[in-house]
Amino acid sequence: MSDPQDDAPAPKVRGRLAEIKQGWAESGRFLTGQAASGEQRLPPGQHLVTNWPILDLGTRPRIPPERWQLRVFGAVEEAVTWDWDALLAQPQVRPVSDIHCVTTWSRYDNHWEGVATAQVLAAVRPKPEARFVVLHSYDDYTTNLPLDDFAAPGALLAHRWEGEALPVEHGGPVRLVVPHLYFWKSAKWLRRIEFVTEDRRGFWEERGYHDRGDPWSEQRYSEEMGIEEARSAI
Ligand SMILES: Nc1nc2c(c(=O)[nH]1)N[C@H]1C(S)=C(S)[C@@H](COP(=O)(O)O)O[C@H]1N2
Ligand SMILES: [Mo]
């Protein structure tokens, strides 16, 4: 099945916040250079918040659940398209996890509900050569993940948060949640999941964010930028 958006150009950075964040990526803002120590729950350079900030490119697509569809395709044995009913017909999980955003806020104990990414793998059966996943969203945002990170325990396609339908501004009807990586990897308004054999950078990864984004080793920005250069730019 071909999707008319497959060759769509990169979305415009519309919001002021997105512009500011792109500037931060370019200047290496928020790099502390500290290493994460042992048992601490808060990754280095992060501070705790109790609200839930909203971050995106400034376009918040409103997709009613009855019009929402997810295409899962690429290097898989069996591509599938799930509509809302098909998503709800999958086994549901209710993990609790912390959010760590590259802009330095973290939010503890988020109660999610949805479909484990492991269940997505079981449905499509990635080919042996599939090594990365590209997420495509309804706002044309993209982000990339190694297959192992996508499939990690705790990762899910979330449609509920704290017992309520996931709010539109946080990516409803359905978003990805990959709690062990910075939150830019958790695509909101999820539309397509593409399994690929070679890594392909997404929206922020192309603009100076780290390819993997592990908060515990402060993988905020691309190594190509150089940590000294990044720090001296703060
Ligand atoms: N589709 C889409 N997903 C996205 C983004 C976006 O702009 N579009 N922004 C990312 C970034 S940078 C962050 S920090 C989180 C923010 O999620 P929140 O607004 O629910 O806190 O969403 C991520 N997922
Ligand atoms: Mo972010």
Side-chain angles (χ1 to χ4, degrees):
M1 209 165 51
S2 86
D3 186 312
Q5 299 246 344
D6 273 349
D7 300 314
K12 279 223 179 70
V13 178
R14 218 174 279 183
R16 176 83 188 112
L17 180 62
E19 274 172 38
I20 292 169
K21 285 166 68 189
Q22 186 166 345
W24 289 344
E26 282 158 10
S27 64
R29 184 87 182 270
F30 303 136
L31 284 177
T32 66
Q34 294 162 15
S37 72
E39 298 294 297
Q40 70 183 24
R41 183 170 178 184
L42 197 63
Q46 296 293 112
H47 68 275
L48 198 56
V49 300
T50 51
N51 62 332
W52 187 5
I54 299 166
L55 290 103
D56 48 51
L57 304 176
T59 309
R60 304 203 176 118
R62 285 189 176 268
I63 316 295
E66 62 275 14
R67 279 192 28 231
W68 176 85
Q69 283 202 334
L70 175 69
R71 176 79 179 150
V72 190
F73 69 108
V76 296
E77 297 296 342
E78 193 182 344
V80 300
T81 301
W82 285 346
D83 62 11
W84 185 246
D85 290 341
L87 182 84
L88 297 187
Q90 305 298 316
Q92 305 288 307
V93 293
R94 287 175 194 79
V96 180
S97 57
D98 299 345
I99 297 171
H100 306 297
C101 175
V102 71
T103 61
T104 76
W105 58 270
S106 292
R107 188 183 194 286
Y108 288 167
D109 292 323
N110 297 274
H111 295 73
W112 307 104
E113 184 173 337
V115 176
T117 50
Q119 182 64 30
V120 176
L121 263 55
V124 299
R125 289 173 286 125
K127 293 193 167 153
E129 61 268 29
R131 288 173 50 236
F132 298 91
V133 176
V134 181
L135 293 315
H136 303 258
S137 297
Y138 277 90
D139 61 345
D140 293 334
Y141 182 81
T142 55
T143 188
N144 56 309
L145 294 165
L147 183 52
D148 292 345
D149 282 321
F150 175 78
L156 79 157
L157 315 188
H159 58 81
R160 291 176 81 76
W161 175 79
E162 302 302 325
E164 308 274 352
L166 183 67
V168 169
E169 62 272 24
H170 289 298
V174 182
R175 79 175 298 159
L176 184 69
V177 173
V178 178
H180 69 287
L181 297 179
Y182 283 126
F183 213 36
W184 87 78
K185 296 289 183 180
S186 292
K188 310 203 276 191
W189 311 294
L190 195 56
R191 180 181 192 183
R192 286 183 283 141
I193 301 174
E194 181 179 5
F195 290 79
V196 294
T197 57
E198 307 279 334
D199 197 11
R200 195 199 301 159
R201 288 175 181 167
F203 181 86
W204 284 118
E205 294 82 5
E206 287 246 306
R207 288 163 177 77
Y209 279 30
H210 197 278
D211 198 50
R212 176 150 186 265
D214 170 19
W216 302 100
S217 41
E218 258 197 296
Q219 293 175 339
R220 297 180 193 274
Y221 308 119
S222 159
E223 277 139 16
E224 285 151 36
M225 187 162 24
I227 191 149
E228 292 310 325
E229 185 194 339
R231 261 194 237 144
S232 65
I234 294 177

